Amino acid sequence: MHTRRVRYLLQPGEPLTLPERTVPQVLRLGLARTVLGLDDDRILASPAVAIPLPRYVDGQPLRGTPGIRPDALRFPFMWLPAPLRERFEIDTGDGTITLESDDAWALRVVFEMWGSGLYDIDTGGWLDVLALHDLDPDDPATHDRITAWWAGGADETLDVIDLTGALVPDTVEDSDWASIASLALVDSFDKASMALSAVDTVALCELVTDGDLTPLGTTDPARAVRSLLRIARTRFTGNPDASTLLAHLQAQADEPGTEGPFLVDEIVPQLSEIAQGLWTTYEPTLTEVVASFTEENLVGAGTEGR
């Protein structure tokens, strides 16, 4: 049995929460597809979490999901036990029960991963689950073995991999800490993330205005502006007024025959103004979150009974 760490998208020192920049987040979606082998509908991206996570459907394991890369099974988040896969039912206080949102679920998962030590911020590394069982997916024979198991075959080693002991507390007292934290912080993290995204949106607007379209992966100004608007609409969903304005700009940008220079001259300044307003609104929340949120808040939290 070997203990080793493997990296997934983050650099050493990066936390699992509060993505540091919008552009890396956009790129990380594409990288997640490549690294994990999952289609877009099986990848969950949250503005409060720094990495895309696999989307668990109806609380079921990922096993059997098409396209998965055998080496992706190194990562602990591919092996979530039932209590983490399943969404909590939330009492809204008005007699209505709703399921835990994507953002609250994603925060709960990364809090548990970080607090349990499965993610190490110093190295940006995840505990290699397969190495714990002396499995190397880079070995062709092991690669084929994992592929066959994923498709439904039996395997005496893979069949018994279970992270419940690392991620599920033994005592009721410890069982709700990550859920309570995620529900309490999800709104603040969303606002703090919008502040960071606003800074990057303004910077991207400046680049597009100056003719540098490289960060948006195109040489066509019209496509760059439309892509920038689509990115902004995914980053500011927590603000209804901004969402309405961005939807209006997107409709204008998507009108047939609209030329790139018009979009750069007319749409981009409006987008930049919206982003600057969002920064002004949410920068205080970002400052509070950064000041109060440290690694010490998570390491060991809720793990006393494990």
Side-chain angles (χ1 to χ4, degrees):
M1 180 179 293
H2 302 286
T3 301
R4 56 172 292 188
R5 295 273 175 179
V6 287
R7 296 266 297 281
Y8 172 65
L9 306 184
L10 299 181
Q11 297 298 316
E14 278 196 80
L16 288 173
T17 53
L18 279 183
E20 295 186 350
R21 289 293 180 262
T22 298
V23 175
Q25 275 296 90
V26 173
L27 296 176
R28 281 171 182 168
L29 284 171
L31 291 171
R33 297 186 200 103
T34 302
V35 173
L36 304 180
L38 293 169
D39 291 334
D40 287 351
D41 62 348
R42 296 305 299 267
I43 295 176
L44 186 154
S46 165
V49 174
I51 56 169
L53 292 167
R55 182 181 293 277
Y56 287 79
V57 177
D58 297 327
Q60 298 300 307
L62 293 175
R63 185 181 178 187
T65 305
I68 201 75
R69 291 176 54 94
D71 54 347
L73 298 188
R74 289 183 165 122
F75 303 115
F77 51 74
M78 304 298 288
W79 299 88
L80 295 185
L84 276 185
R85 295 195 305 263
E86 297 166 353
R87 301 296 179 98
F88 284 169
E89 292 185 345
I90 309 299
D91 187 345
T92 61
D94 59 1
T96 303
I97 301 296
T98 63
L99 284 180
E100 187 177 28
S101 69
D102 283 353
D103 293 337
W105 177 84
L107 271 175
R108 177 162 64 96
V109 169
V110 300
F111 283 169
E112 289 284 11
M113 292 279 173
W114 197 351
S116 66
L118 294 178
Y119 175 73
D120 177 59
I121 189 172
D122 292 334
T123 62
W126 296 82
L127 185 70
D128 187 333
V129 175
L130 295 180
L132 285 177
H133 297 270
D134 296 324
L135 296 171
D136 179 7
D138 294 328
D139 174 69
T142 305
H143 180 286
D144 293 343
R145 176 180 169 185
I146 294 171
T147 300
W149 177 79
W150 195 257
D155 188 284
E156 61 181 9
T157 300
L158 293 165
D159 281 338
V160 299
I161 293 179
D162 186 356
L163 299 185
T164 300
L167 289 168
V168 179
D170 293 331
T171 65
V172 174
E173 290 78 7
D174 295 331
S175 63
D176 292 334
W177 81 271
S179 177
I180 293 170
S182 65
L183 290 173
L185 293 173
V186 65
D187 184 61
S188 294
F189 271 72
D190 186 29
K191 292 175 180 176
S193 180
M194 283 195 285
L196 290 171
S197 295
V199 173
D200 285 327
T201 299
V202 172
L204 285 170
C205 285
E206 292 177 354
L207 290 175
V208 171
T209 300
D210 293 341
D212 183 0
L213 311 181
T214 305
L216 292 160
T218 182
T219 58
D220 179 5
R223 179 174 294 178
V225 173
R226 292 182 182 118
S227 296
L228 182 52
L229 282 168
R230 283 193 293 272
I231 293 169
R233 292 187 68 187
T234 66
R235 304 308 296 168
F236 303 124
T237 56
N239 186 298
D241 292 337
S243 295
T244 299
L245 291 172
L246 292 171
H248 177 68
L249 291 181
Q250 186 84 65
Q252 284 185 282
D254 289 342
E255 289 180 0
T258 306
E259 300 292 335
F262 171 82
L263 295 178
V264 172
D265 293 341
E266 300 295 329
I267 300 297
V268 171
Q270 295 181 66
L271 174 57
S272 181
E273 184 177 351
I274 292 169
Q276 291 175 53
L278 290 167
W279 166 256
T280 300
T281 299
Y282 296 124
E283 186 273 338
T285 303
L286 172 63
T287 300
E288 291 177 2
V289 169
V290 171
S292 63
F293 189 77
T294 63
E295 180 182 7
E296 287 74 19
N297 294 120
L298 288 179
V299 173
T303 62
E304 293 84 353
R306 300 182 196 182

